Amino acid sequence: MSLKNLLGDWSKYRKGHEEGGFHKYEHMWGLAIDLNKCIGCNACSVACYAENNLAVVGKDKMLSNQGMHWLRIERYWDEPQLGGDDRDFQERGASFLPMMCQQCNAATCEPVCPVAATYHTPDGLNAQVYNRCIGSRYCSNNCPYRLRYFNFYSYYESSWPAPLHMQLNPDLSVRDKGVMEKCTFCVQRIRTAKDTARAENRKVIDGEFNTACAQSCPTKAITFGDMLNPDSAVSKKWKAQQVELGKAEQHKANRDLRGYRVLEGLNTDPKVLYLERVREV
Amino acid sequence: MQTKDINENIEWAKINADVLRSMENPRIGYWIAVATCIAMVSCAVVAEIYQYQTGIGVANLSWPQMWGLYIATFVFWIGMSHSGTLLSAILHIVHADWRKPIYRFAEAMTTFSLMTAGLFPIIHLGRVWNMYWVLPYVSDRGIWPNFRSPLSWDAFAITTYLTSSALFLFIGMIPDLAICRDNARGWRQKLYTVLSLGWQGDDRQWRHFRKIYLLMACFLIPLAVSVHSIVSADFSMSIMPGWHVTTFPPYFVAGALYSGCAAIITLFIILRYFFRFEEYMTIPILEKICKLTFAIAMVWSYLNLVEFAATWYGHDQVAKELLLWKFNGPYAPFFWTMLFCGSVMPFALAFEKLRRHLPTMFVVSLLLNLGMWLERWMIVGPTLSLSYEPFAWDINWPSMVQWAIVFGSFGWFGLLFLVFVKVFPSVSMYEVKEMVFHRRRAHRPDFAVELHRRATDPQPGRSPQPGQNPSTEGA
Ligand code: SF4
């Protein structure tokens, strides 16, 4: 690398994160969530518990913030608009924001892990290697979305007393105490789909599989897919909303478009697109 | 009123005798102190075993309060370790000879507080048994730590600093260990014989000694600065409001020197009182440290203001909100105590009356350190409670497990220090002699020559005592 090269192409090196350190991504899994459709039913969250062997920590630990919900439904109340306290009328004021790991392409959690237990995969995923994690919890502290959860205790016995352990999903592990975990975009389903596609000598077809949350949403608020495939449903949504990856600020031609990414200005480049909720006042 | 740093008429033999006396015959108070420290450490050990067995959750760490007192106290102890380097290396290089009677215990403090600090990142890990993964050990699977992570920089920085400061402490002690060897019996004699590395005090040895000492001093200064800058990188390299602050490295280094100096004052008064070191740890020297502490306190306060101003005039809404929340949120009592102890308390050091009053200084120095400990907590805690994601705004106060381990760390430090003062000379004999010698020569040259002749005259039947001949060659 010559000096000229370095000076001239500096911005190129700075923007390297868009490629996540890879020359070529195989896939780029992304989500689009329409908040207009979300009714806050928590089905996605429950599905996530079932699919990903999430520990049920119980009321006490949940109250002391030691829960393990990879996908949480955040509730926010608007400023009272019709007078009175809108909390009494949730249908008026409450907005729901399903938050799962945003699988940032410039993830802030990745560089800070001392043992590189979290890294970027060629699928554009932000992977967490449970076996490698030593539990320094730095990644969670550096996640602006606070979407990483820590196994503060060993939950195996309390969470799935026999015979409940039979319900555990065999496609992925149960984490023990001292390990950080977070939403993986159902990586076990992604792997299965990729393996099947390879065995059948074809490409992964859009809609062939879904994440547990997208699959279980009664109102079809969540769309999952490969953003490198221009024909996938999720790519189309992103395009329609004129939101692009790799940008800290979107320049939309049409200001009425509802698409946005959470805390995009931090330049973490998240891969979850939200479509703002529109409400009649 | 005593104005001289040290009594210039003091005899070499008296210096030896006084320091050696401090290492002998522990009195009942000493044993009580040891017992207290052991009790404190056992509190921490019990808590740690419980936490190890049950999981880190018993410390009431939670989402999003993932770090707590552990990391705050870790930064506190790392900061404490900077005083020794300041006194022994920086002041050595600028030829401030008043440091000589007090640098030894400060240096020991450096080593021991690093040994305490190093425990915290280990204790706070979720899977303690895998802690060696942050080190670049040879693994046949070819797995390396993540060199981009400030936590692995920490691991390198702290191990380097601990090794170097322990070496520096040891090297600076060799001539004194030789004096101990010549005066000791039994196991002590064997120990000192090994440790003094055959020191005879001849010219060649002194020359080498001076060189290596200076070299180590020069090596340690940038190291000390970088160590605390790296510790500050744990926060400033992150993206969170209140942590992502460019002024953190100098702020941390200033804070480190500050708490270190305050701790020196505390230990100074304790040692002076219990070991009757009035002749060496004199009031004028205490005054000098107090002035130094005052200056550093002002630098620290200034950097605080810089941080507030930068946040206030910056455009980061969240950082601004966090700052205001520190001022009037649930952390406010601690925050204001920190500002009071850190920025107002040091003004006590500005008054000569107070500076010369030992009990006042003792209390003040403890309060300064309380402020500095709170400072570290006020860095770690509030940011975790209030950051970008409003849904994750919450406070979790540390549980008894955390408090017990933090409490125990003070016992651990005290225990190490108590062992040190009885096994090793806590005042540098040869350097005090050097200091006396130089001052004498400056003030009363004829008398100095006379005394010097008397001291160097070999007495019949006795070989010259090493270290009694303060050679300054090569210095
Ligand atoms: S399942 Fe669908 S509707 Fe229900 S909370 Fe999740 S996203 Fe909203």
Side-chain angles (χ1 to χ4, degrees):
Chain A
M1 192 193 296
S2 69
L3 185 64
K4 192 164 141 252
N5 204 338
L6 194 67
L7 292 175
D9 293 346
W10 183 238
S11 58
K12 192 176 101 203
Y13 292 104
R14 262 182 56 207
K15 284 205 209 112
H17 62 71
E18 282 136 41
E19 284 86 43
F22 296 103
H23 293 297
K24 204 166 158 10
Y25 278 119
E26 290 170 28
H27 298 278
M28 175 91 74
W29 306 105
L31 282 180
I33 302 178
D34 191 342
L35 298 182
N36 254 355
K37 290 188 187 160
C38 177
I39 51 172
C41 67
N42 274 299
C44 48
S45 188
V46 173
C48 183
Y49 266 84
E51 169 71 19
N52 290 304
N53 297 343
L54 298 195
V56 179
V57 299
K59 197 171 164 185
D60 293 344
K61 299 213 169 94
M62 204 69 199
L63 278 177
S64 52
N65 275 338
Q66 290 166 342
M68 307 291 290
H69 42 188
W70 286 2
L71 201 179
R72 60 175 192 244
I73 308 294
E74 299 187 356
R75 289 165 304 166
Y76 295 106
W77 276 270
D78 285 0
E79 294 290 313
Q81 287 163 348
L82 303 175
D85 190 354
D86 278 6
R87 278 165 195 266
D88 301 338
F89 307 99
Q90 291 202 2
E91 70 282 6
R92 253 195 253 153
S95 328
F96 305 103
L97 185 67
M99 284 292 273
M100 65 286 282
C101 174
Q102 308 280 304
Q103 308 286 358
C104 308
N105 266 356
T108 46
C109 51
E110 284 168 18
V112 297
C113 173
V115 293
T118 175
Y119 75 108
H120 227 63
T121 70
D123 273 9
L125 291 177
N126 179 237
Q128 174 75 18
V129 187
Y130 307 126
N131 285 343
R132 180 66 175 162
C133 178
I134 56 171
S136 76
R137 308 191 289 291
Y138 198 172
C139 52
S140 172
N141 283 347
N142 206 24
C143 173
Y145 310 98
R146 299 279 191 241
L147 283 163
R148 291 175 149 266
Y149 301 93
F150 191 69
N151 283 279
F152 285 105
Y153 301 93
S154 224
Y155 295 111
Y156 188 78
E157 255 132 54
S158 61
S159 189
W160 303 281
L164 285 187
H165 64 284
M166 305 290 280
Q167 76 171 22
L168 289 170
N169 183 351
D171 291 343
L172 76 161
S173 60
V174 173
R175 283 75 57 185
D176 203 350
K177 72 176 177 208
V179 170
M180 190 62 79
E181 58 182 65
K182 63 164 192 86
C183 161
T184 60
F185 273 11
C186 292
V187 69
Q188 64 281 9
R189 295 187 178 199
I190 296 178
R191 290 235 59 103
T192 315
K194 280 174 78 177
D195 288 350
T196 320
R198 195 170 49 218
E200 294 170 5
N201 209 358
R202 59 170 170 88
K203 286 199 167 148
V204 180
I205 307 164
D206 186 46
E208 173 184 359
F209 72 103
N210 233 335
T211 57
C213 54
Q215 184 188 8
S216 57
C217 178
T219 60
K220 303 245 173 306
I222 305 178
T223 319
F224 169 80
D226 184 0
M227 306 205 349
L228 289 188
N229 175 0
D231 300 325
S232 68
V234 73
S235 303
K236 283 184 187 147
K237 290 216 169 176
W238 280 63
K239 209 166 284 153
Q241 296 298 329
Q242 299 181 356
V243 178
E244 279 175 53
L245 277 179
K247 282 190 179 171
E249 231 175 299
Q250 307 292 343
H251 300 284
K252 299 181 186 173
N254 182 354
R255 303 215 63 210
D256 288 344
L257 290 176
R258 300 186 288 136
Y260 72 96
R261 295 186 291 169
V262 178
L263 294 176
E264 191 173 42
L266 294 176
N267 206 4
T268 49
D269 203 11
K271 283 203 291 291
V272 182
L273 172 77
Y274 289 91
L275 277 73
E276 207 176 324
R277 173 163 181 187
V278 182
R279 211 195 308 266
E280 286 176 41
V281 184
Chain B
M1 195 168 73
Q2 193 180 5
T3 50
K4 281 189 175 160
D5 284 347
I6 199 151
N7 170 12
E8 285 165 17
N9 299 328
I10 197 163
E11 290 276 350
W12 283 182
K14 177 166 164 42
I15 298 177
N16 282 1
D18 278 349
V19 177
L20 291 174
R21 173 178 48 77
S22 78
M23 296 159 60
E24 284 156 9
N25 302 330
R27 278 173 294 160
I28 184 77
Y30 177 83
W31 293 116
I32 293 175
V34 170
T36 319
C37 286
I38 291 180
M40 286 164 83
V41 174
S42 13
C43 276
V45 170
V46 169
E48 167 59 19
I49 290 174
Y50 177 50
Q51 176 180 297
Y52 180 92
Q53 298 278 359
T54 331
I56 201 97
V58 292
N60 207 17
L61 292 166
S62 63
W63 171 93
Q65 203 81 37
M66 294 274 181
W67 287 352
L69 296 185
Y70 294 151
I71 293 296
T73 316
F74 156 72
V75 180
F76 172 78
W77 283 114
I78 292 277
M80 195 84 110
S81 71
H82 280 56
S83 54
T85 313
L86 171 77
L87 273 182
S88 54
I90 301 180
L91 294 185
H92 174 65
I93 282 182
V94 300
H95 291 289
D97 70 345
W98 55 267
R99 82 186 177 93
K100 285 182 173 162
I102 56 168
Y103 87 94
R104 172 70 48 73
F105 79 81
E107 228 169 63
M109 213 173 92
T110 295
T111 311
F112 298 146
S113 51
L114 277 172
M115 285 167 71
T116 317
L119 295 177
F120 277 95
I122 297 174
I123 289 171
H124 108 290
L125 284 187
R127 302 207 292 170
V128 191
W129 50 95
N130 289 334
M131 64 176 196
Y132 63 95
W133 287 358
V134 297
L135 299 173
Y137 67 97
V138 183
S139 148
D140 48 0
R141 287 172 294 171
I143 302 178
W144 290 92
N146 180 6
F147 292 109
R148 290 188 297 169
S149 165
L151 284 189
S152 43
W153 307 345
D154 268 357
F156 301 130
I158 294 166
T159 39
T160 314
Y161 193 33
L162 177 59
T163 325
S164 330
S165 53
L167 261 181
F168 193 45
L169 170 68
F170 170 64
I171 290 174
M173 218 156 43
I174 292 177
D176 277 356
L177 289 173
I179 301 178
C180 297
R181 170 197 64 197
D182 296 341
N183 288 285
R185 298 276 166 278
W187 65 271
R188 278 177 185 264
Q189 192 181 23
K190 288 201 189 89
L191 177 74
Y192 298 135
T193 310
V194 175
L195 288 182
S196 57
L197 304 179
W199 180 269
Q200 292 301 333
D202 59 37
D203 248 14
R204 193 171 132 272
Q205 284 180 336
W206 275 112
R207 224 183 332 259
H208 287 314
F209 175 77
R210 297 287 169 195
K211 266 190 202 131
I212 191 70
Y213 194 78
L214 188 66
L215 195 78
M216 284 298 282
C218 294
F219 176 68
L220 264 174
I221 295 170
L223 191 61
V225 173
S226 72
V227 164
H228 221 52
S229 303
I230 286 175
V231 169
S232 83
D234 284 352
F235 305 100
S236 53
M237 294 294 284
S238 82
I239 198 175
M240 305 319 284
W243 285 5
H244 188 72
V245 179
T246 331
T247 50
F248 261 10
Y251 179 59
F252 270 54
V253 174
L257 295 177
Y258 186 9
S259 63
C261 280
I264 288 178
I265 299 178
T266 316
L267 289 181
F268 181 103
I269 294 171
I270 295 179
L271 286 182
R272 177 186 151 102
Y273 180 75
F274 283 104
F275 288 160
R276 311 217 179 82
F277 277 153
E278 284 89 355
E279 295 239 44
Y280 312 100
M281 303 186 178
T282 57
I283 299 287
I285 292 183
L286 179 66
E287 275 207 287
K288 288 199 169 78
I289 322 171
C290 287
K291 286 178 193 162
L292 190 66
T293 314
F294 180 68
I296 298 172
M298 290 303 108
V299 172
W300 179 83
S301 308
Y302 169 72
L303 285 169
N304 250 333
L305 283 180
V306 168
E307 196 198 320
F308 297 164
T311 314
W312 188 255
Y313 291 111
H315 287 288
D316 189 343
Q317 279 306 320
V318 188
K320 208 163 169 176
E321 193 166 330
L322 175 67
L323 184 67
L324 289 176
W325 193 68
K326 281 186 193 172
F327 285 143
N328 61 20
Y331 282 108
F334 302 110
F335 191 78
W336 290 110
T337 318
M338 160 204 134
L339 279 186
F340 177 77
C341 292
S343 294
V344 181
M345 228 39 209
F347 280 94
L349 304 170
F351 298 101
E352 196 173 345
K353 266 252 161 54
L354 293 176
R355 267 200 315 250
R356 290 179 155 264
H357 190 242
L358 289 177
T360 319
M361 272 306 101
F362 187 67
V363 175
V364 167
S365 66
L366 286 179
L367 284 178
L368 295 184
N369 254 327
L370 173 70
M372 292 319 289
W373 182 80
L374 283 171
E375 181 228 329
R376 276 55 182 254
W377 190 24
M378 287 305 103
I379 289 171
V380 176
T383 292
L384 293 175
S385 297
L386 188 149
S387 62
Y388 292 113
E389 187 72 11
F391 193 75
W393 289 353
D394 208 341
I395 296 178
N396 272 69
W397 300 110
S399 75
M400 283 317 286
V401 173
Q402 279 195 61
W403 286 112
I405 289 180
V406 168
F407 179 66
S409 75
F410 287 87
W412 167 248
F413 173 81
L415 194 62
L416 289 172
F417 198 81
L418 283 171
V419 172
F420 176 84
V421 292
K422 284 295 168 193
V423 179
F424 297 103
S426 46
V427 170
S428 169
M429 294 178 258
Y430 77 97
E431 291 213 80
V432 170
K433 288 173 198 162
E434 235 171 63
M435 178 181 173
V436 172
F437 178 74
H438 283 298
R439 298 217 164 189
R440 232 182 239 167
R441 207 165 52 180
H443 295 133
R444 298 171 57 190
D446 43 334
F447 181 56
V449 171
E450 160 66 16
L451 275 183
H452 186 48
R453 194 188 51 72
R454 220 190 290 162
T456 45
D457 257 356
Q459 286 155 22
R462 237 175 116 215
S463 60
Q465 291 292 308
Q468 287 199 347
N469 175 2
S471 151
T472 50
E473 280 153 284

